[in-house]
Amino acid sequence: MPNPGQYVRDMRLCYGNCITVGVLGNRRQVILAGPAANRMVLLDAGENFSSRWGWEVVRAHFPGMVLLRDFADRRLHRRMTAPLFKPEVLRRPMIEKDPVIRESLESWPEAVDVNCGNKRLTLEVALRVFGGFEGGAVNEPLCRNMATLLDNVLAPPGIRRWRGLRARDRLRRSLHRELARRRQENGEYLFTRLAAWTDEVGRRLSEGDVVDPMLGLLFGAHGTTASALTTRSIKLAEDPVWQERLRGECRAVRQDFGEKLT
Ligand code: HEM
């Protein structure tokens, strides 16, 4: 569908805020539009709406994601992870003390495929921010496998999907190996904190309960952000006012980085 937003707007004009559509194999899907519907579904005080069933397509590939947990199970994961998502926690010590974004941008050539560059950049940030993984050659296999996963896993059944799933399994094995080390540490990265988390009676999370949400988060956070950045770049590049501004900014950046970018 080239323009899903417009499609929903047109349907709302014809039929109102509650619309049923038939999708693949004529399965029925309900679109609830507008603020009242959003409130009802997202707050879901009566626990009527399952996220797990809603994201079936993701469930086949990333069974342990937070997104796929419902009700009490979701609340438990939220309670564990919410403190770790506060901006000050994510910023410290990674982004502030760490030149990961600058280093990654400095390595971009003059002519760059912005989408590939953004995917790589956001993955490096995610690996650093959530996992404390240092950049460079050590993480090359992680980055390569994540790129293969992202590019292939949602393809229709066939060789591409298979390739994506193999990359996911390699990533999962790497994270399992890393977990053994994290269990011994006392760091502040999300991965290490999940590894060390215990409930009221001192029980730890199982290996799968640490590794699968971590993998889901790396996958979900960086692909989406890379797409958003790329879309923004396209919009800016199409806008004549911004074209002029960007030319100015490029000159300023070049001056900043000196020879490296020229
Ligand atoms: C432009 C960038 C992003 C987009 C478009 C996006 C989109 C989404 C969407 C559509 C969902 C599913 C919501 C639902 O149906 O319940 C979601 C869930 C989630 N996203 Fe993002 N996301 C983005 C960036 C991020 C980033 C950077 C992070 C991590 C810092 C993140 C972490 C999560 C988590 C943890 C969930 C699961 C929440 C839950 O189920 O409790 N996302 N995201």
Side-chain angles (χ1 to χ4, degrees):
M1 188 182 291
N3 192 343
Q6 192 56 47
Y7 172 77
V8 174
R9 280 191 288 278
D10 292 345
M11 296 285 276
R12 277 181 87 184
L13 281 179
C14 281
Y15 302 110
N17 282 335
C18 180
I19 309 146
T20 316
V21 291
V23 287
L24 302 172
N26 206 24
R27 288 187 54 186
R28 309 310 294 169
Q29 252 192 18
V30 179
I31 297 174
L32 293 173
N38 271 281
R39 187 182 172 80
M40 179 175 75
V41 175
L42 294 176
L43 295 186
D44 192 20
E47 300 196 341
N48 293 309
F49 297 96
S50 165
S51 192
R52 186 178 169 77
W53 285 7
W55 288 98
E56 239 173 314
V57 60
V58 178
R59 190 169 77 195
H61 309 312
F62 298 98
M65 279 179 89
V66 182
L67 185 61
L68 300 169
R69 294 170 189 267
D70 276 330
F71 316 131
D73 188 24
R74 165 180 291 248
R75 280 195 294 277
L76 173 71
H77 268 260
R78 275 283 179 86
R79 214 175 61 231
M80 283 187 307
T81 51
L84 308 177
F85 281 111
K86 292 210 161 54
E88 59 278 12
V89 178
L90 290 177
R91 248 184 246 127
R92 169 183 40 100
M94 295 63 85
I95 299 298
E96 277 165 9
K97 294 201 198 128
D98 194 326
V100 56
I101 296 176
R102 170 177 279 262
E103 274 174 9
S104 191
L105 287 178
E106 276 181 319
S107 73
W108 284 19
E110 173 102 351
V112 65
D113 176 332
V114 174
N115 195 34
C116 284
N118 281 335
K119 278 200 266 188
R120 175 75 195 209
L121 169 65
T122 50
L123 178 58
E124 281 178 7
V125 172
L127 283 169
R128 197 78 63 100
V129 168
F130 301 133
F133 292 98
E134 295 295 319
V138 182
N139 290 325
E140 208 43 54
L142 283 179
C143 288
R144 215 179 26 248
N145 284 325
M146 188 55 90
T148 311
L149 171 65
L150 192 66
D151 288 343
N152 296 300
V153 78
L154 295 179
I159 185 85
R160 278 192 58 203
R161 165 95 65 96
W162 175 79
R163 213 175 272 147
L165 290 175
R166 283 205 354 155
R168 179 205 61 186
D169 293 340
R170 284 194 296 273
L171 276 168
R172 201 185 251 149
R173 282 196 294 275
S174 308
L175 292 179
H176 273 285
R177 277 196 299 274
E178 182 69 18
L179 176 62
R181 201 168 65 76
R182 302 295 173 116
R183 294 268 202 215
Q184 318 297 325
E185 285 180 4
N186 199 13
E188 57 188 318
Y189 297 104
L190 193 138
F191 190 20
T192 320
R193 304 253 305 247
L194 278 182
W197 192 88
T198 51
D199 67 8
E200 299 77 16
V201 289
R203 277 177 307 203
R204 282 178 156 178
L205 290 170
S206 70
E207 289 203 357
D209 271 347
V210 179
V211 166
D212 288 341
M214 182 68 196
L215 186 59
L217 189 60
L218 288 172
F219 177 71
H222 96 275
T224 48
T225 309
S227 293
L229 286 171
T230 305
T231 309
R232 191 199 61 168
S233 306
I234 294 169
K235 293 287 172 206
L236 290 180
E238 284 168 357
D239 181 325
V241 177
W242 272 97
Q243 282 171 4
E244 196 39 50
R245 277 201 200 174
L246 283 175
R247 266 194 279 277
E249 291 217 354
C250 286
R251 274 195 293 277
V253 169
R254 286 213 175 87
Q255 275 156 16
D256 256 15
F257 291 140
E259 292 304 306
K260 281 190 189 128
L261 285 180
T262 51

